[in-house]
Amino acid sequence: MVLRKKTEIGMINPSAKRPPGAIALQQFPALPLSYGAEGLRFEQVDLSELAGEFGTPLYVYSGPYILSALASYQNALGEDGEVFFAVKACSNIWILRLIQEAGAGADIVSLGELRRAQAAGFTGSQIVFSGVGKTKQEMQAALQADLRFLVIESAAELKMLEEVARVEGRVARISVRVNPDIAADTHPYIATGLGSHKFGVPAAEVLSLYRFASESPHLEPVAIGFHIGSQILSGSAHLAAAERILALADRLRAELDLSVKYLDAGGGLGISYDEKLSPHPASFIESLRPVLRGGLKWIVEPGRSICGNAGVLLTRVLYRKTNGKKDFIICDAAMNDLLRPALYQAEHRILAVREVKEELRADLVGPVCESGDFLARDRLLPAVDSGDLLALLSAGAYGFAMSSNYNSRLRPAEVLIDGPNYRLIRQRETFEDLLGPELRCGPG
Ligand SMILES: *Cc1c(COP(=O)(O)O)cnc(C)c1O
């Protein structure tokens, strides 16, 4: 399984006829994984070698795979739009730099992510600021950094931004995130486009926000957009949302004489976590093309579909045990390292690094003191033993980014692979990292 640099993952037939919003499916995780003499290899690197050098648990990412997924979006959009990578999916500075150098922008949701994006080399105009609750301090920093635009999610937030911009003596470029009241077919925790969700502004309120913005010398409306959720595997909800938002853009033109420049379609395209087929970014963009009109430029904010399949979590088996009814494989990674199984009942594919033919029905669990601490539940797993290594696939998005120090565990190291080469891009945390913020406060 060889991956070519600067090319797209797989091929689609762009002229094939499909119903509206349908996306071509294909074996999207054409993952750069194969078995060699030393067991499982990622790109051209033996995972056992990485575990030996950097320890476990360890996150390992393929740079070429990230660039390939990004290129699928960029090539499909061409001159019609731009990609702003959703930093929250995978926030490592050196992965962000890779994405910046490939010509994409960054979609951020906090001041911390702004600092990360800046450290990675993104300029202000390469950054958009999303999120439902931006603080005054975050607005100030965003204005000082001269971002492309801030995404507004309520009338109160817009008023606050106007005030901050007036004090700063600046003009804030804005977009309004419309809540299109559309159900996306995904896990309820990551659906965001329904009227009952906290996200966005109801369509009925949108015009009044743009009226307020266009009347203020400190606000400049430049975009309108939506983001309906994550891990969405069909294009029909995006298409329906885009149609509603375009109708609003038409009304802005007709009723307020206001032409925005960008239509921000958010992120949300899903990936395959198993061996099933999953949607292709180019086909996703193509499915939205029928609603591309009125001279608007597209902005898309993919996260998961850029880096999800580009990362694996490597863990070492500590013990096996059975309680008579059930078998457990206990490994050194836990819910604090990869939260998705506990939070979303996600099922990541799991491969043994040493090729193991025999299978075992078991739970794969970590050392954390919670029954919710499982990485796999009641699954057929390779029948590995103490000391063996396992790779959890598709862990590149919302993996390390959601990790924590729960149970006072040190967060894992991260390694980036480029073909035959690799390098450490985040050191494993130390006890100093863990205790420092408390010890520095002294005994009082
Ligand atoms: C999380 C998020 C994204 C990225 O979602 P993915 O499912 O990872 O593509 C994009 N835009 C906004 C506003 C988000 O909150």
Side-chain angles (χ1 to χ4, degrees):
M1 283 175 272
V2 187
L3 195 83
R4 301 152 305 272
K5 225 172 188 165
K6 293 273 178 202
T7 56
E8 294 179 23
I9 300 161
M11 304 300 255
I12 54 157
N13 176 1
S15 56
K17 281 258 178 297
R18 291 184 201 94
I23 302 180
L25 297 177
Q26 64 161 92
Q27 198 70 43
F28 190 54
L31 287 172
L33 286 163
S34 58
Y35 279 99
E38 303 299 316
L40 192 61
R41 316 189 82 198
F42 196 31
E43 297 278 352
Q44 295 156 53
V45 179
D46 289 316
L47 287 173
S48 56
E49 183 183 334
L50 295 182
E53 188 169 342
F54 302 109
T56 52
L58 182 72
Y59 274 97
V60 186
Y61 307 91
S62 158
Y65 195 93
I66 290 171
L67 293 178
S68 168
L70 179 59
S72 319
Y73 275 103
Q74 290 172 316
N75 293 345
L77 283 165
E79 296 294 303
D80 298 324
E82 289 174 78
V83 178
F84 284 72
F85 174 69
V87 170
K88 76 171 188 282
C90 180
S91 328
N92 187 290
I93 293 167
W94 307 115
I95 288 176
L96 295 181
R97 174 158 293 186
L98 206 63
I99 288 168
Q100 193 274 340
E101 285 171 349
D107 170 41
I108 60 162
V109 293
S110 72
L111 191 48
E113 287 191 356
L114 176 58
R115 296 297 176 238
R116 283 184 178 279
Q118 288 173 321
F122 290 95
T123 62
S125 72
Q126 291 175 317
I127 301 172
V128 300
F129 198 156
S130 303
V132 71
K134 288 175 280 298
T135 65
K136 224 166 163 172
Q137 185 200 14
E138 287 177 322
M139 290 175 180
Q140 269 163 355
L143 289 172
Q144 284 160 12
D146 204 17
L147 304 190
R148 179 75 66 93
F149 58 77
L150 288 90
V151 182
I152 292 299
E153 298 218 19
S154 66
E157 193 187 29
L158 186 62
K159 279 214 179 75
M160 172 64 82
L161 179 63
E162 204 234 7
E163 214 175 288
V164 175
R166 184 156 20 86
V167 172
E168 293 284 315
R170 291 180 189 260
V171 176
R173 283 179 292 274
I174 62 131
S175 177
V176 171
R177 175 171 171 179
V178 182
N179 185 322
D181 198 14
I182 279 171
D185 185 19
T186 185
H187 190 282
Y189 289 5
I190 48 179
T192 60
L194 271 180
S196 57
H197 293 138
K198 71 175 177 182
F199 297 98
V201 175
E205 256 185 62
V206 168
L207 253 73
S208 75
L209 265 65
Y210 279 97
R211 182 175 295 116
F212 177 83
S214 54
E215 284 168 0
S216 165
H218 295 288
L219 298 171
E220 184 192 356
V222 295
I224 187 166
F226 62 90
H227 171 71
I228 51 175
S230 196
Q231 185 54 11
I232 298 167
L233 295 167
S234 136
S236 52
H238 276 87
L239 191 63
E243 270 165 357
R244 283 189 194 177
I245 274 55
L246 276 164
L248 285 169
D250 289 344
R251 286 188 58 196
L252 294 182
R253 221 168 293 132
E255 295 175 35
L256 302 180
D257 194 25
L258 173 63
S259 297
V260 292
K261 192 168 172 193
Y262 308 105
L263 185 136
D264 180 351
L269 186 63
I271 60 168
S272 168
Y273 283 90
D274 50 31
E275 286 170 284
K276 290 194 201 112
L277 302 178
S278 60
H280 192 288
S283 181
F284 170 65
I285 296 298
E286 178 212 335
S287 77
L288 292 176
R289 225 166 245 291
V291 290
L292 181 60
R293 61 167 189 264
L296 287 170
K297 292 254 186 213
W298 286 90
I299 282 179
V300 290
E301 304 164 350
R304 188 191 311 269
S305 52
I306 299 286
C307 59
N309 275 323
V312 307
L313 173 61
L314 202 54
T315 178
R316 200 175 287 279
V317 175
L318 299 172
Y319 308 107
R320 250 172 77 169
K321 76 171 185 182
T322 175
N323 68 5
K325 289 198 205 90
K326 211 167 166 174
D327 286 295
F328 295 91
I329 299 170
I330 303 160
C331 65
D332 65 1
M335 67 188 291
N336 72 296
D337 304 304
L338 181 66
L339 188 58
R340 300 192 67 264
L343 190 61
Y344 309 124
Q345 297 79 46
E347 294 197 356
H348 289 255
R349 275 178 75 198
I350 296 171
L351 296 178
V353 170
R354 168 179 72 87
E355 236 179 323
V356 176
K357 294 268 184 289
E358 202 192 324
E359 285 186 313
L360 168 75
R361 182 161 289 280
D363 285 11
L364 178 66
V365 301
V368 162
C369 307
E370 297 263 351
S371 293
D373 178 30
F374 57 86
L375 297 172
R377 237 182 351 186
D378 198 26
R379 294 248 310 265
L380 268 182
L381 299 172
V384 285
D385 275 315
S386 297
D388 275 331
L389 290 165
L390 289 170
L392 282 90
L393 311 191
S394 310
Y398 307 102
F400 185 92
M402 290 181 103
S403 67
S404 79
N405 291 119
Y406 186 42
N407 274 215
S408 289
R409 290 165 53 85
L410 304 178
R411 285 187 298 167
E414 296 180 286
V415 168
L416 180 61
I417 296 180
D418 182 5
N421 305 312
Y422 59 84
R423 71 186 186 99
L424 189 64
I425 54 169
R426 183 183 167 101
Q427 300 173 336
R428 188 171 301 283
E429 282 183 345
T430 63
F431 292 112
E432 212 165 46
D433 296 330
L434 187 74
L435 304 180
E438 290 153 60
L439 289 177
R440 285 195 291 276
C441 293

